[in-house]
Structures are given as C-alpha cells and as structure tokens.
Amino acid sequence: MRFSFHAKATRASAAIMIAALLAASARAELSAEELAKLAQNPVGNLISVPFQNNTNLNYGPEKGTQNILNIQPVIPISINKDWNLITRTILPVISMPSLGPGIGSLNGVGDVVLTAFLSPANPGKWIWGAGPVVQIPTNSNSELGNKNWGLGPALVVLHMDHGDPWVYGALMNNIWSVSSSKQGGSYNNGTLQPFINYNFPGGFYLTTAPIITADWNAESSQRWTVPLGGGVGKIFHLGKLPVNTQLSAYYNVVKPDNGPNWQIRLQAQFMFPK
C-alpha cells in the first residue's frame, strides 16, 4: 500500500508539473524585466512556487548551522472583476543542529503559515493587500514548532509603476496563539519585511528584503532579530518557464543570545504568469 500511494503521488506531481509547463509555453511572453517586477509583487496575479533556502550560521548555544527550506506556493483566486484573493503558504523543512551536549541534530517539518490577502484586481502605482494569517501546527518534532494554532492580521503595501525600475514596499503580520495548553505554550510573534528592488534590463536586479521579527513574549533584550544586507537576482528560463533566482546575505545587527549572526538566502521561484 505504501508503494502504491507514493507511486500515485509521484505520477500526480509529474502530471501537474507537465501541465504547468505546457500552460506556461502557451502564454504570451513577458520581457525579463517585466517578469522580475511581477515576481517582486507579493500580491501579483501570478501563480508561482518559490523554494527559499535560508542557512543560519552560528545558531544556538553550540553555534551550529541551521537550515530552513521554505516551500512557498502562491495562488491567486479571482473573486470578481474588482478583487483578487492571493493565498501565500509557507511550509518550512528544517534541519536543526545540536542544541546542547548529548543532544542530536533534528530534521523535519515546521509549522505551516497560511496568509490570504484581499487585493484590488486593477491597482494603480500603489498596490495593497490585507487579510488573515493562520499558523497551523504541522511540526514533526517539539523542537521544530508549537502545537497551538495561531491567528492574526497581515498587510502588504508596495509601489510599482510601468517604466520605473524601482519596486519597494513592506509585508507585515502578527500572530497570536489561540490557545496555550499544548506543547510550546502561548506565543505572540510579529514579522516585518521591507523590500527594495532595482531592476535592470534583461531581468537582473538588486534586492534587499530583511525579515525583522519580534517575540513579544520574550524579555526586551531577547525580543528582536534585525538583519541588514541584500543581494542580487536574475530571471532565467527553463524552456518557456520563467524562473526567478536570487542570492543574498544578511547580518543580524540585533539578535537574541542564541540567534544566528548571519543568514545566507538562496531562492528559485518557478513562475506561471497568466
């Protein structure tokens, strides 16, 4: 039964990918610069599947290396001619180093974070989206997440104009646990991600998108993680399928005692423009 299930899942995944590739080849081609700017819009009318790998250096009391691969499908849903609902899901696959003598490393899945942005279908230069964010306790180990569900608001605002190489804005949310009786206890976590991109012809761009986090339940000296840094990105094509690639590095100028000091971010975003 196990072999049959995995074989069916593999065939289904292959069928979805083939259909997506065929659909992508049938669409009118956008320029590389237009594709780059479209990829930089968190609430763009674009199906995409980013794979974002974050390597955190000198993490934990043993100063090990933590690796988090975020699988982040983005699916827009047309409500009517005026409004879209943009769903953004983050599934983290985590490799956790040893957190103390005699404690082994861990590999598994963390908690899924699902956001649904209601956004105008025909925005101007300023684009926005707002909606709920839900944290789902999908973690495979107690060290990789929290067993209490979470809920809160999310907002995105950005500026993007045709002919303007700059795309800039911010994503923000805050998630409160809706219970405190399960593993991990209550939590109250905020996230702010400002982003600035400068696009060159040909799909090459410069980017900075630090993820600032706050653990509001922690002591003030252990509350904030504030990174500074940036990197580069480029649009490539696999046949007709556009892929947004990105490499960046961030140094945490403020962090908890056991937080990492550097983060290396590598991303490949498979894009299926309409």
Side-chain angles (χ1 to χ4, degrees):
M1 291 296 291
R2 179 176 298 178
F3 173 81
S4 176
F5 172 79
H6 286 302
K8 289 179 180 178
T10 301
R11 288 195 297 268
S13 298
I16 291 170
M17 181 59 71
I18 291 170
L21 288 169
L22 291 173
S25 66
R27 296 182 181 105
E29 292 188 9
L30 298 172
S31 72
E33 184 178 356
E34 289 171 327
L35 286 168
K37 293 174 72 174
L38 186 59
Q40 294 156 17
N41 179 2
V43 287
N45 193 11
L46 165 76
I47 296 174
S48 70
V49 184
F51 293 83
Q52 183 189 93
N53 193 80
N54 296 290
T55 301
N56 298 312
L57 306 179
N58 297 305
Y59 175 86
E62 299 295 302
K63 304 302 180 185
T65 299
Q66 180 194 55
N67 198 82
I68 303 175
L69 171 63
N70 288 324
I71 304 171
Q72 306 180 132
V74 179
I75 301 174
I77 301 169
S78 177
I79 297 175
N80 55 39
K81 63 183 180 64
D82 296 317
W83 296 98
N84 290 328
L85 185 69
I86 314 297
T87 65
R88 296 172 57 87
T89 305
I90 301 176
L91 170 63
V93 181
I94 304 171
S95 176
M96 183 75 74
S98 170
L99 297 179
I103 301 175
S105 59
L106 288 171
N107 296 286
V109 175
D111 294 330
V112 165
V113 174
L114 171 63
T115 309
F117 290 105
L118 183 67
S119 182
N122 302 290
K125 299 177 183 178
W126 285 98
I127 304 167
W128 64 272
V133 57
V134 180
Q135 181 169 313
I136 305 170
T138 54
N139 60 86
S140 58
N141 187 281
S142 61
E143 297 293 336
L144 304 180
N146 189 299
K147 287 301 183 184
N148 295 282
W149 285 69
L151 181 66
L155 176 68
V156 59
V157 179
L158 70 145
H159 183 275
M160 184 170 66
D161 191 17
H162 181 73
D164 185 350
W166 293 96
V167 177
Y168 52 87
L171 276 160
M172 60 203 82
N173 68 48
N174 202 93
I175 305 176
W176 291 267
S177 57
V178 297
S179 64
S180 60
S181 58
K182 299 181 180 180
Q183 170 260 310
S186 65
Y187 54 88
N188 178 6
N189 298 323
T191 300
L192 171 64
Q193 185 177 23
F195 53 89
I196 304 173
N197 303 282
Y198 186 85
N199 293 278
F200 297 91
F204 176 78
Y205 61 93
L206 303 177
T207 184
T208 180
I211 301 174
I212 302 168
T213 61
D215 178 355
W216 301 111
N217 288 346
E219 297 179 5
S220 58
S221 62
Q222 305 297 306
R223 180 169 297 163
W224 291 94
T225 299
V226 181
L228 288 179
V232 296
K234 180 74 170 66
I235 296 291
F236 292 95
H237 285 81
L238 294 176
K240 295 284 188 177
L241 179 69
V243 183
N244 176 35
T245 58
Q246 192 178 113
L247 175 64
S248 55
Y250 297 91
Y251 179 75
N252 291 322
V253 295
V254 179
K255 66 180 184 66
D257 290 342
N258 290 324
N261 57 359
W262 279 97
Q263 180 182 90
I264 310 300
R265 186 182 303 164
L266 178 63
Q267 176 174 295
Q269 177 184 10
F270 298 91
M271 304 168 60
F272 307 100
K274 293 185 176 183

